[in-house]
Every structure is written in C-alpha cells, then in structure tokens.
Amino acid sequence: MKLAQRYEILNDKSRGRDRFPQATDQVESLLFNLQYAYEDIMQFEWLDYPGGILDFRNTADEAREELIKSVKESSVLMVCIDGSDFCGNNIRSKINKVRRSSGNINRFFSEYMKNSDWLPPIAFVVTKYDLCCHDTNEEEIKDVI
C-alpha cells in the first residue's frame, strides 16, 4: 500500500519536483515480495542509505559498518543513477556528470575490495528516467555506465 501511494505521488506531475522523495538521511530497510500473477516468487530486502555513508572518512560510523555487512551478505547490489545525469546532447558531459555523482560509491567499492575477495553482481538502475528519456537511449546509457 505504501508503495502504491508513493507511485501515485510520483505520477502526479502537477506537484512538479515536489513529487520526488527527499534524499535519504538514515538507513532504512524495506521488505518486498516479488510476485508474478499475484503469486509470491521471492522476498527481498532493500537497504536504503544516505550517500554520505560511503565516505571512508566516517570509518567509525555504525551505519557504515551495517552497510558493509549488508554488501557482504547481498546476492545482488542495485546502484541507482540519477536520470538528470543523462540530460543533454553531449555524451562526454553525461560521462562526466555520472563520474562526479558516482565518486563516493566508486571509492567505497575500491576500499571495500581491499578487505574482501567477493563482490555481488551489480545492477545499474537509472532513476527519474522521465527527466532524460528524450535525451538518451539504452545504448548510450550502457556506453556512459
């Protein structure tokens, strides 16, 4: 029900940019049931966290340690990329925007791999695709990522 309510808000274009949720400021665990034809296929946990947790200068942060533990226990990671990074006509500009916005996660994975020998598969998800759908296509997104 919560998810359906959030979808309704996202689809209400009269709200403008206010229809998008605020940035995450704390770790939140959400439990989902994946269904097909109204039958449960599997259950999964989505760990949403503030981006600042990825900064290794906060090494003593309890939330950060929880994130590292979650990565180690995950079967897949979903990395969300803001669709606004794909706006415009210049692919070099898009690459630079994605590179800037993904700096913390790239550093996080680099440091994480120094202390670990395994990283789950990673799926990249372009959020707010409606912002860039006229400026990009699937092949260009693959090239940028």
Side-chain angles (χ1 to χ4, degrees), residues 111-136:
E111 289 297 319
Y112 173 87
M113 290 306 293
K114 288 179 184 177
N115 301 313
S116 181
D117 58 352
W118 183 78
L119 188 63
I122 299 174
F124 294 96
V125 178
V126 177
T127 63
K128 298 181 258 179
Y129 183 74
D130 58 315
L131 298 177
C132 66
C133 63
H134 301 293
D135 294 343
T136 194

Side-chain angles (χ1 to χ4, degrees), residues 10-108:
L10 284 172
N11 286 326
D12 183 0
K13 293 184 180 181
S14 69
R15 293 175 178 247
R17 296 201 55 83
D18 290 337
R19 70 183 197 243
F20 299 112
Q22 295 296 316
T24 304
D25 64 352
Q26 62 184 18
V27 175
E28 182 179 8
S29 177
L30 304 165
L31 201 55
F32 288 92
N33 288 315
L34 178 64
Q35 295 181 335
Y36 176 75
Y38 302 105
E39 296 291 326
D40 287 347
I41 296 173
M42 67 176 279
Q43 192 174 66
F44 66 94
E45 180 183 15
W46 178 283
L47 185 65
D48 196 8
Y49 61 89
I53 287 177
L54 299 177
D55 188 344
F56 266 90
R57 290 173 287 198
N58 299 328
T59 53
D61 188 18
E62 184 180 318
R64 194 162 191 300
E65 292 303 317
E66 182 181 343
L67 174 63
I68 291 169
K69 181 177 182 265
S70 176
V71 168
K72 289 178 181 177
E73 296 173 353
S74 292
S75 54
V76 68
L77 301 176
M78 295 178 72
V79 175
C80 296
I81 303 170
D82 193 317
S84 65
D85 288 346
F86 292 93
C87 291
N89 295 320
N90 184 313
I91 191 166
R92 176 59 41 205
S93 173
K94 293 175 186 184
I95 290 169
N96 288 335
K97 285 189 267 184
V98 169
R99 184 176 286 144
R100 273 193 307 277
S101 64
S102 64
N104 278 347
I105 199 159
N106 289 339
R107 282 187 295 277
F108 172 82

